């Protein structure tokens, strides 16, 4: 069933009993079901999930780690994925036929992944092939639909995550003269710039107007950036940085590479979700940090590192709304459906799509 069909079928009104139960009752019931299902159940949780959910995760990680654990777990019959839709799709592609991947709330999508649809991508590819010939390798951030991963796999490319983007872009540029980087222009630009590629050698593909935005000699283009972005990380601005520098000059500023180029450049450090977590863990007690990434994670880091002074780079930042769709009532509802042998919200990627998508994922996992 497609996401649209599921959305139309599902009213998203959970049964009334979940409104009446206290958090304590729901937590107790989740614990009971986890004990009852044992190894038949596996709950991966992305670092951007809420605490009320992450407390029940069997493993937590960034996108790359969760793809790796999904590929390695051949046993669990049910994988209840606490993350967003594209991550559950990836888990389905990397697991075997007998395993069911469940997303507790189908509204947990990703606005960035939605910024590249397969029709736009095929249209863009046709035009770009016409202009540049067979000189382009497509790469896609894992934050993309299975259909985009499949397109990339079919055309010899690979997926990347924020923690291996440098390695994957380097690899891609050894294969072909230039790359098409979907769907996050900022991760693509920040990574290519770190690798020494001049901003003038990067073009932007606008999927709405279906045109290449570039000034200068097109033969020079090394990187074609899809015009997509993360609506959460785009909320960190140069003004936020200026405010922190003025009010707390001792603070170190660390941001995720999904932030705009100018924000990354003005920060002290940048890196993937995993890199940010490790940097804060390793930091000396008493140090001060302003972090530019998703708010559930920043709050968790604040609570876990009380010996350090940590704030969000943007004081008005909210959590990722779609990550937040997965909450305790939806997690419990999913688990109760499993024990009643009527699992709902099963994420099943079409076999044809999965066949090529796995090529793109495997090319990344082989180099991760
Ligand atoms: P990573 O887990 O690769 O850092 O990705 C961040 C993100 O935006 C996930 O949706
Ligand atoms: Fe998508 Fe950004 Fe939310 Fe990640 S944080 S799920 S990229 S909208």
């Amino acid at each position: 069933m497609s996401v649209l069909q599921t959305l139309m079928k599902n009213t998203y009104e959970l049964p009334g009993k979940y409104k009446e139960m206290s958090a304590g009752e729901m937590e107790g019931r989740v614990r009971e079901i986890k004990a009852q299902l044992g190894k038949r159940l596996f709950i991966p949780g992305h670092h951007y999930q809420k605490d009320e959910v992450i407390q029940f995760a069997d493993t937590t990680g960034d996108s790359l780690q969760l793809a790796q654990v999904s590929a390695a777990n051949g046993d669990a019959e049910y994988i209840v994925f606490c993350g967003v839709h594209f991550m559950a799709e990836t888990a389905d592609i990397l697991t075997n036929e007998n395993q069911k991947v469940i997303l507790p709330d189908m509204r947990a999508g990703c606005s960035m992944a939605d910024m590249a649809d397969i029709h736009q991508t095929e249209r863009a590819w046709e035009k770009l092939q016409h202009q540049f010939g067979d000189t382009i390798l497509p790469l896609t951030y894992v934050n993309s639909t299975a259909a985009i991963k499949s397109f990339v796999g079919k055309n010899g490319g690979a997926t990347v995550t924020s923690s291996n983007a440098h390695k994957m872009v380097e690899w891609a540029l050894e294969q072909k003269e230039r790359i098409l980087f979907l769907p996050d222009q900022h991760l693509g630009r920040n990574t290519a710039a770190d690798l020494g590629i001049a901003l003038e050698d990067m073009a932007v593909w606008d999927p709405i107007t279906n045109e290449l935005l570039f000034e200068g000699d097109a033969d020079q283009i090394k990187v074609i950036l899809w015009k997509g972005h993360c609506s959460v990380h785009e909320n960190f601005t140069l003004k936020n940085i200026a405010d922190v520098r003025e009010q707390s000059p001792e603070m170190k500023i660390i941001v995720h590479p999904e932030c705009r180029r100018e924000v990354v450049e003005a920060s002290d450090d940048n890196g993937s979700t995993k890199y940010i977590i490790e940097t804060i863990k390793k930091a000396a007690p008493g140090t001060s940090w302003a972090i530019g990434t998703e708010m559930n994670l920043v709050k968790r880091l604040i609570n876990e590192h009380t010996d350090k002074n940590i704030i969000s780079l943007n004081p008005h930042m909210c959590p990722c709304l779609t990550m937040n769709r997965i909450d305790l009532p939806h997690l419990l509802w999913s688990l109760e459906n499993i024990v009643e042998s009527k699992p709902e919200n099963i994420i099943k990627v079409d076999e044809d799509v999965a066949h090529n998508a796995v090529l793109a994922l495997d090319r990344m996992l082989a180099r991760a």
Side-chain angles (χ1 to χ4, degrees):
M1 194 185 299
S2 72
V3 180
L4 189 63
Q5 283 165 326
T6 313
L7 283 171
M8 285 162 73
K9 173 178 160 269
N10 200 329
T11 61
Y12 289 104
E13 276 303 310
L14 287 185
K17 72 171 192 176
Y18 297 102
K19 286 200 183 101
E20 282 146 32
M21 289 172 88
S22 70
E25 282 170 322
M26 285 191 274
E27 287 170 357
R29 185 73 187 116
V30 171
R31 268 184 218 106
E32 266 171 37
I33 297 177
K34 283 193 72 172
Q36 181 187 341
L37 292 174
K39 288 207 174 332
R40 290 176 62 206
L41 171 70
F42 182 59
I43 306 181
H46 190 273
H47 288 305
Y48 295 175
Q49 291 284 292
K50 302 177 189 203
D51 282 347
E52 68 186 50
V53 166
I54 215 81
Q55 63 175 324
F56 295 112
D58 294 309
T59 188
T60 58
D62 66 357
S63 311
L64 176 63
Q65 291 167 307
L66 296 183
Q68 287 166 327
V69 292
S70 301
N73 184 325
D75 302 330
E77 206 175 319
Y78 297 103
I79 296 176
V80 176
F81 207 104
C82 294
V84 289
H85 192 269
F86 70 79
M87 296 178 183
E89 279 188 332
T90 298
D92 177 54
I93 294 166
L94 293 173
T95 48
N96 66 49
E97 271 306 289
N98 306 320
Q99 298 179 285
K100 288 187 175 53
V101 176
I102 291 166
L103 186 64
D105 187 337
M106 291 299 274
R107 293 172 302 178
C110 165
S111 53
M112 179 202 285
D114 290 343
M115 288 177 198
D117 83 26
I118 188 62
H119 305 295
Q120 292 171 329
T121 306
E122 278 165 354
R123 267 203 313 269
W125 191 245
E126 201 185 316
K127 244 180 137 174
L128 292 170
Q129 292 289 295
H130 188 253
Q131 181 168 2
F132 295 103
D134 182 22
T135 63
I136 314 170
L137 195 82
L139 286 181
T140 186
Y141 195 13
V142 285
N143 301 25
S144 54
T145 63
I148 299 294
K149 292 184 178 81
S150 176
F151 166 87
V152 166
K154 193 172 71 187
N155 287 290
T159 57
V160 316
T161 75
S162 54
S163 58
N164 61 21
H166 291 84
K167 205 185 288 183
M168 295 311 296
V169 169
E170 264 180 335
W171 167 80
L173 287 170
E174 283 159 17
Q175 318 302 309
K176 292 267 171 87
E177 225 171 288
R178 43 183 70 86
I179 59 171
L180 168 64
F181 192 98
L182 297 125
D184 183 13
Q185 59 169 311
H186 301 310
L187 179 65
R189 186 177 290 111
N190 288 321
T191 306
D194 283 352
L195 292 172
I197 297 171
L199 293 176
E200 303 82 65
D201 296 345
M202 301 184 209
V204 172
W205 178 265
D206 186 333
I208 307 298
T209 59
N210 206 34
E211 62 183 346
L212 191 64
L213 310 174
F214 180 70
E215 281 169 14
D217 176 6
D219 283 347
Q220 255 180 261
I221 296 174
K222 299 288 292 170
V223 176
I224 300 165
L225 303 162
W226 192 266
K227 199 177 176 189
H229 64 266
C230 165
S231 31
V232 174
H233 289 90
E234 267 215 346
N235 286 327
F236 297 103
T237 61
L238 283 179
K239 164 98 173 64
N240 296 146
I241 295 192
D243 289 349
V244 168
R245 298 268 191 235
E246 192 191 325
Q247 287 153 24
S248 318
E250 76 288 1
M251 284 225 158
K252 279 202 143 212
I253 298 175
I254 184 167
V255 301
H256 193 284
E258 284 175 24
C259 295
R260 295 165 203 264
R261 179 77 198 135
E262 65 265 27
V263 170
V264 168
E265 273 183 322
S267 301
D268 298 306
D269 200 357
N270 76 91
S272 67
T273 300
K274 183 171 171 236
Y275 177 81
I276 292 175
I277 294 171
E278 282 170 359
T279 304
I280 299 298
K281 230 183 237 170
K282 280 192 294 203
T287 50
S288 300
W289 296 87
I291 306 180
T293 193
E294 200 277 339
M295 204 55 210
N296 285 324
L297 173 60
V298 176
K299 275 198 217 142
R300 192 169 304 119
L301 289 170
I302 292 171
N303 293 335
E304 284 172 358
H305 298 276
T306 46
D307 60 336
K308 292 156 206 171
N309 176 23
I310 302 172
I311 60 167
S312 170
L313 176 58
N314 177 344
H316 307 295
M317 196 66 189
C318 298
C320 170
L321 290 179
T322 49
M323 282 278 179
N324 260 16
R325 293 289 185 191
I326 313 294
D327 57 10
L328 184 55
H330 282 87
L331 175 62
L332 177 57
W333 173 73
S334 290
L335 298 182
E336 291 199 318
N337 288 335
I338 292 172
V339 290
E340 287 161 20
S341 301
K342 51 172 189 62
E344 292 263 359
N345 292 0
I346 295 172
I347 304 297
K348 189 81 210 119
V349 177
D350 196 74
E351 255 178 54
D352 290 348
V353 173
H355 174 77
N356 285 320
V358 81
L359 298 175
L361 285 161
D362 282 347
R363 285 184 194 118
M364 171 184 79
L365 291 172
R367 289 167 184 83

